[in-house]
Amino acid sequence: MYPSLISCLTSLSPEVRLRIAAHHGLREAEPETLARRLTDPAHLRSFVRRMDPAEREGMDFFLFQVGEGVCAESKLRERESILPVSPSRFRIALVRLRRWGFLYGLRRRWGETVYWCPSEVRTAWLNVNRKGSPLLPPATGRIDSREAGGRGVWHALFHFLVLCDRERIPLTRDGGVHRRWWKKLSSEMEEWEEEFRETPWADRQEPASVRLVRDLARLQGLVRERGGALEVDPARLDSWLSLSWEERLRRLYDLTRFRLLEGRPDWDALVRLMEAHRSEEWVAVSTLLKEWASLAGKSGGRIQGEALVRHWLKPLCRLGWIELASSPQGILWRWTPFAPAVCRAAAEETGLVQPDFEVLIPPFFPLDKRWQIARFADYAGGDHFLVYRIGADSVGRARERGMAEEEMIALLEQLAGGGIPANVTVGIREWCRRVGRISLRHALLVEGDDEELIDELERIPELGELIAERVGRRVLIADANREEELRDRLKKLGFPPRQEVKPRKPGTDTEERGEGDAEPEGFTVENRYPDLTEAVPGARNLPRMWTSAIRSYHPATVQDMVRKAIQLRLELRVKEKDGTVRQLIPRQLENREGSWTMEGVDGGRRVRIELSRIGGVQIRLPE
């Protein structure tokens, strides 16, 4: 994902931030203070009145064309051919937007610089441009059928992490999940192939559901590759499980939104209209598109309702963020209660432990506690409640991994808000007794050449905390996790140990890689205050006579001036021999049957002028 506004501002030096802050009437340039001013609606409403048409055109370009993406040089050139302002004025406008802190230059690892408008800035500008309430007009009339979204993507991600924690998932040579694991993973997750055919998680070798949860786990750093297999990262998993439901759902929504809009970043403004509708009322897709068209005007392209439903609303519904319905008004949508736009997650409820060893867990039970229950119970589906089953195998699995029977029973009592059936307690205790009666431990052996040496080491106080016990006449067991510390103390005490050559384990040469460690985009924020001359390189080197006023020139010089204006994408002021003065953007110069003709755009209209009709010309430099 791309950097936030705060991240962009923090990447700038205090000197650059101060120059940005001066444009907004601030004497201090702390990132938080500047970010608040750059997104303050009252400030933006007064600021927009000082902007010229080219600057407003530049801002609209990033709101409705670039959206949730970056803009490379190639996209700018495409846009310039259809602009109502000259390319040079547009370039100057973009430099000014950067100097005001609304745009930022991001540099790729290989050196290309792209433009980026942070999402916080786009949201603030959309709110300023939009008139009236952020709530969309609700749909009226009957609803013929509804389509719910199932358990939600967070449910599938949770089960993927549980399975990945129980057993490392082997990967193929090209990094994919082995086919034999697809069924095992899909059996505890929902099938999403039909709705996800045209999403970033389709058209791969793996099923879309597997690809999706693995992608979300990777982006959050919850899994890592080690030794040709996937495994959970315990520290990051613990942090994720301890999040509030509100924060966890917000992060998952942001990630799924980012992925779904990667191929359609220009839909971002429309999506923000949806997100500003903080209500659970039904809205017609046609109403949403009408509101977007009214806001975007000529700056926005055309979005077909069918494409919006297929590429955005259907996947969003399947992931649990919205519901869909059909009605006489066409397709309707509305947020689910726990979507971040509404954020009305269910209050924490108690569950139920039944005598048949089924555990019923409410959907929004704290996830860290649910994780612990999943260690000794197996997911079995469910409707309103999530159903887990406790059995000899599941309890044995948890016991083998060090979970005590009292911990299992305490978790069930906490879930149920009181006592649990006596036979469940008895069953857990009985199954636990069959497991774990033998312990296998990693140990560091301290072996002496004779019994007297070991006797002496046992009597040294500095070694007492590192020695666990003595076994036999010449061997001590020490704390394996403190081997280096033990070596150092033995050296200081005059008993330096021999260096043992440790056998190399297979696969230890393979670099361990945390999937979430790498930034997928690889951008850094340019830390500089751009100069206006960057907009039109070479313009300052033009002869002063060409730019100072309209003058008459030799026909060959007029041709050179037109060619140079086309090359630098500058405007021309042209005075025809009949006295008509035009200001136009030249596009092409060609010789037709011995007569030189210039084509260009004058006030949005394409015009053609023979150079022989021109009495005077001036190249206009951007101001």
Side-chain angles (χ1 to χ4, degrees), residues 13 59 69 121-122 211 252 256 346 437 455 461 464 474 509 538 542 544 561 571 579 591 594 601 603 623:
S13 66
M59 203 66 224
V121 173
R122 279 178 279 126
R211 186 78 187 183
L252 284 175
T256 54
R437 298 178 67 186
D455 289 340
R474 297 190 300 111
D509 288 337
L542 293 172
R544 183 173 178 79
M561 293 176 69
E571 290 179 305
N591 189 311
V601 178
E623 300 173 355

Side-chain angles (χ1 to χ4, degrees), residues 35-219:
R36 283 195 296 271
R37 180 60 64 94
L38 290 170
T39 55
D40 176 41
H43 172 66
L44 294 181
R45 287 190 190 97
S46 64
F47 196 91
V48 74
R49 289 194 287 269
R50 293 183 277 153
M51 294 168 65
D52 67 25
E55 291 153 1
R56 291 194 291 271
E57 183 73 26
M59 203 66 224
D60 285 347
F61 172 61
F62 278 87
L63 292 181
F64 304 113
Q65 294 290 326
V66 180
E68 190 70 15
V70 293
C71 182
E73 186 67 26
S74 58
K75 189 172 180 66
L76 279 180
R77 289 186 179 274
E78 291 174 10
R79 180 66 178 172
E80 287 171 355
S81 63
I82 57 173
L83 285 172
V85 297
S86 71
S88 58
R89 291 182 63 196
F90 186 67
R91 294 285 183 146
I92 288 287
L94 296 188
V95 173
R96 287 202 173 103
L97 291 172
R98 287 184 63 182
R99 296 172 77 161
W100 296 336
F102 299 130
L103 298 184
Y104 295 84
L106 304 183
R107 185 174 291 278
R108 297 183 192 268
R109 287 196 179 98
W110 54 88
E112 181 188 12
T113 298
V114 295
Y115 290 96
W116 163 242
C117 182
S119 60
E120 299 90 339
V121 173
R122 279 178 279 126
T123 297
W125 275 98
L126 285 169
N127 291 339
V128 168
N129 289 353
R130 191 177 186 196
K131 311 301 180 187
S133 170
L135 293 180
L136 296 165
T140 57
R142 74 174 191 276
I143 291 177
D144 297 329
S145 62
R146 295 185 184 183
E147 181 182 344
R151 290 262 173 228
V153 66
W154 51 93
H155 180 72
L157 176 59
F158 177 84
H159 283 295
F160 172 75
L161 294 171
V162 168
L163 293 171
C164 196
D165 180 61
R166 288 180 186 173
E167 186 176 353
R168 297 168 75 241
I169 299 176
L171 300 175
T172 61
R173 286 186 178 181
D174 60 359
V177 174
H178 274 284
R179 183 180 293 270
R180 66 177 180 272
W181 272 80
W182 292 358
K183 186 175 181 181
K184 192 170 186 178
L185 290 170
S186 298
S187 64
E188 296 205 33
M189 299 188 297
E190 299 179 65
E191 289 292 340
W192 291 324
E193 299 305 315
E194 184 66 28
E195 292 86 348
F196 281 23
R197 284 181 180 176
E198 299 177 68
T199 69
W201 306 292
D203 299 327
R204 304 294 202 279
Q205 295 180 352
E206 302 166 346
S209 55
V210 174
R211 186 78 187 183
L212 167 66
V213 292
R214 183 181 171 187
D215 184 41
L216 293 178
R218 178 186 64 83
L219 288 172

